[in-house]
Amino acid sequence: MSNVRYGIIGIGNMGSAHAKSLQAGEIKGAVVTAVCDGFESKREWAKEHLQGVAVFEDSMAMIDSGLVDAVIVATPHYDHPSEAIRAFGKGMHVLIEKPAGVYVKQVREMNEAAALSGKKFGIVYNQRMNPLYQKLRELVRSGELGEIRRTNWIITNWYRPQAYYDSGTWRATWGGEGGGVLINQCPHQLDLWQWTIGMMPSRIRAFCQMGKHRNIEVENDVTAYAEYANGATGVFITATSEAPGTNRLEVSGDRGKIVIEDGQMTFWRLRESETEFNKRNTSAFGKPECWKFEVPDQGSSPEHTGIIQNFTDAVLRGAELVAPGEEGIDGLTISNAMHLSTWLDGWVDLPFDENLHEAELNKRIAESTFQKTAPAGNSQAADLSGTF
């Protein structure tokens, strides 16, 4: 195989963006040969803008055409696992958009199908391509930061006005999207939160506020507290109605603290570990010697094209995946736990009862009385793409 022939399932914002980058030759060793979408308006767009690319109404017809070797799933969230499972069953390599799905149970079934297929499976966690977070992961894994003691992430620069939520009938509903900021905007941060430090929380207490300052039924303001098996703690704060917003990650360890904010990493490094200093210190107000470093610019991030290039290289040459699809379950586990903690008004231990979470989600879907109208000028839901 000299080129990976991609078929794209769903050509809303993200699906169309991937199609255009592939067609423009931005991914070496890859071409887009087919796309599919259930909405006629999307198919008409593809016929006009993607010259020479076959257009289908459904994914199975596209896959059965023999025109594709791999698919990119860019549908609404609930459909990611089902589309992936069908594609694996047909011998396709699969790259899914985030999130991996809406609830852990369905994603676990997808991971099992991927393992049985023997095909490459990736997820578009494009922030894993960001050199800043790669550097943080490297410093943690190398022991430079020592044992992790505390993490704090304030990620409130996901500002979204009411017009954004009104742009599609699926948006910000339990039945259409399966959640709000945790399932739509923050999968990247929830993934990076555990990926960079190499730990999943052991339990979570979260407070999700539904529709704060917005006419929506799902969460758009969240404060969560996490505890880890080694005694570390973490706080995660996010919102979509705060302006101006903040994106600041702090990771404190036994040997110092790293802060990432405004595209810059700062490392306050202790000359010796806090543990060792505390053992030998005899001064009532003594504190360890600390050196401040501005970590040099790590370069730009290739974002989405970087993930697709890496996935293409994995298919063609067996390159190691930066974002294996199976790992999509980790960030989703955290967001599911935050929802469940709010719904049950208490602590949630990880792993949690997946059937209970699914039942609680389905209860909110069944009991929903929230009504949305179709976007102005379009009788179909706009932007069915699993995007931000």
Side-chain angles (χ1 to χ4, degrees), residues 219-257:
E219 86 288 345
N220 67 329
D221 192 301
V222 178
T223 298
Y225 178 79
E227 293 182 348
Y228 298 82
N230 74 336
T233 61
V235 174
F236 189 90
I237 298 172
T238 189
T240 63
S241 60
E242 188 171 307
T246 298
N247 184 358
R248 179 183 174 92
L249 171 62
E250 295 187 7
V251 182
S252 297
D254 185 46
R255 295 195 61 88
K257 178 177 71 174

Side-chain angles (χ1 to χ4, degrees), residues 30 41 43 47 95 103 128 172 182 206 228 270 329 374:
S41 60
R43 296 195 299 274
K47 292 173 184 177
L95 178 62
Y103 52 97
R128 287 195 183 189
L182 292 176
Y228 298 82
L270 302 185
I329 200 169

